[in-house]
Amino acid sequence: MSTHFVIIVAAGTGSRLGGNLPKQFLQLDEKPILMHTLEKFAASQSNPQIVLVLSEQMFALWDELCKEFDFHIPHQVTKGGNSRFQSVKNGIEFIKGSPKLSQESKIAVHDGARPMVSSKLIDELYSTCNVDKPAVIPAVQSTNSVRMGNQDQNHAVDRQMVWLVQTPQLFMSNLLIEAYEQPEENYFTDDASVVEKLSNNLYLLPGDQQNLKITFEEDIAIAQQLFNKIKRYL
Ligand SMILES: Nc1ccn([C@@H]2O[C@H](COP(=O)(O)OP(=O)(O)OP(=O)(O)O)[C@@H](O)[C@H]2O)c(=O)n1
Ligand SMILES: C[C@](O)(CO)[C@H](O)COP(=O)(O)O
């Protein structure tokens, strides 16, 4: 059976949230956000090898947190870059050194700042990705009406045609590796936009409204409410 991988990018500074520590190290439901994210992959049936991309300055902090929270999920750490693109690229370079990488391997790329991802969604994504669907992207539709343009000039668009993209994004290894060989562009805001240059075969799989990205301070409060709700049903 071939080995699959996930690159969890967590080398950002969290400038929109602010504070002394990057958001992925802040606590949610009594442990650092990033630990929730890794736990979801470890609990999935896909059970990918986890490559965690951290800013080099945060290596020591992460080690301390793992000891403090008795966190033992197996993972390998590599250093991040100055942009999300560069951090993913470093994660790919790390995987390229693995003897377990093969043509059949699937590589997911996930934001460390999305701790609410479900193991069910992770498994759906890994099992949908194959040679015929080499790029599988979770996405949800807008519950708001959508307009395109600027403040002065804008027009309504059919919201059925608009998809809000999430992570983890799943790729056959050779496609992702080749896509990340191209130079970085400003419009590369996710991995689908990088892969799009090589392939227009991007499949959208229904994502999950709860799979929110912690971006602003209020997102932590929303995520905590979701955790509380989940625990009430356990
Ligand atoms: N140089 C970077 C920038 C971002 N990321 C990661 O990419 C994910 C999505 O990025 P975002 O939510 O924008 O995080 P930040 O860049 O940290 O936030 P901000 O844009 O507010 O500074 C995060 O898990 C973040 O840690 C990364 O690994 N390396
Ligand atoms: C990758 C991503 O989460 C997909 O929605 C998103 O593009 C990241 O954007 P950010 O501005 O780097 O948070």
Side-chain angles (χ1 to χ4, degrees):
M1 207 170 102
S2 56
T3 300
H4 302 311
F5 297 85
V6 58
I7 298 169
I8 299 183
V9 281
T13 56
S15 57
R16 283 171 288 183
L17 196 140
N20 296 332
L21 267 187
K23 58 194 180 186
Q24 54 273 29
F25 303 106
L26 300 180
Q27 285 199 33
L28 168 67
D29 207 41
E30 294 169 15
K31 67 179 103 145
I33 284 175
L34 198 45
M35 292 185 181
H36 290 284
T37 310
L38 269 73
E39 279 176 1
K40 300 296 175 46
F41 283 88
S44 72
Q45 287 178 7
S46 317
N47 194 22
Q49 192 170 315
I50 300 174
V51 175
L52 177 61
V53 184
L54 292 178
S55 154
E56 215 169 357
Q57 293 96 298
M58 295 297 159
F59 281 11
L61 172 70
W62 179 246
D63 274 352
E64 282 167 30
L65 289 172
C66 287
K67 286 189 193 105
E68 183 183 338
F69 288 86
D70 210 13
F71 185 77
H72 296 291
I73 287 177
H75 64 280
Q76 290 162 297
V77 175
T78 191
K79 75 171 171 28
N82 289 333
S83 63
R84 187 183 185 282
F85 177 93
Q86 295 299 337
S87 291
V88 175
K89 201 172 160 66
N90 288 357
I92 291 172
E93 285 308 315
F94 188 88
I95 290 173
K96 278 163 77 177
S98 168
K100 294 183 176 162
L101 176 68
S102 72
Q103 294 268 338
E104 288 77 41
S105 295
K106 303 171 191 182
I107 305 179
V109 184
H110 186 61
D111 295 330
R114 287 188 190 267
M116 307 304 293
V117 64
S118 69
S119 301
K120 179 171 173 277
L121 178 61
I122 291 170
D123 285 330
E124 277 170 13
L125 287 156
Y126 275 99
S127 59
T128 306
C129 182
N130 59 39
V131 281
D132 297 321
K133 289 193 176 83
V136 183
I137 314 300
V140 292
Q141 296 211 277
S142 176
T143 52
N144 293 313
S145 295
V146 178
R147 299 188 70 76
M148 187 172 279
N150 56 38
Q151 279 181 279
D152 296 319
Q153 300 211 323
N154 47 71
H155 61 91
V157 293
D158 177 0
R159 67 180 178 187
Q160 294 300 113
M161 298 298 287
V162 173
W163 295 86
L164 306 176
V165 169
Q166 304 181 335
T167 71
Q169 299 183 2
L170 251 294
F171 305 94
M172 294 306 294
S173 58
N174 51 352
L175 177 61
L176 187 72
I177 290 169
E178 193 183 341
Y180 269 87
E181 277 160 12
Q182 61 188 306
E184 184 172 0
E185 303 273 4
N186 281 337
Y187 67 87
F188 288 164
T189 55
D190 69 344
D191 315 289
S193 52
V194 181
V195 164
E196 198 164 30
K197 271 232 170 152
L198 292 190
S199 162
N200 54 12
N201 190 0
L202 274 74
Y203 183 75
L204 298 179
L205 188 94
D208 182 353
Q209 295 285 358
Q210 295 198 8
N211 180 18
L212 61 92
K213 177 161 65 67
I214 307 290
T215 306
F216 299 104
E217 202 172 349
E218 54 269 33
D219 295 324
I220 299 187
I222 296 168
Q224 186 60 59
Q225 290 297 319
L226 290 170
F227 263 109
N228 296 346
K229 191 180 124 204
I230 292 163
K231 281 195 287 193
R232 276 203 300 274
Y233 289 105
L234 287 180

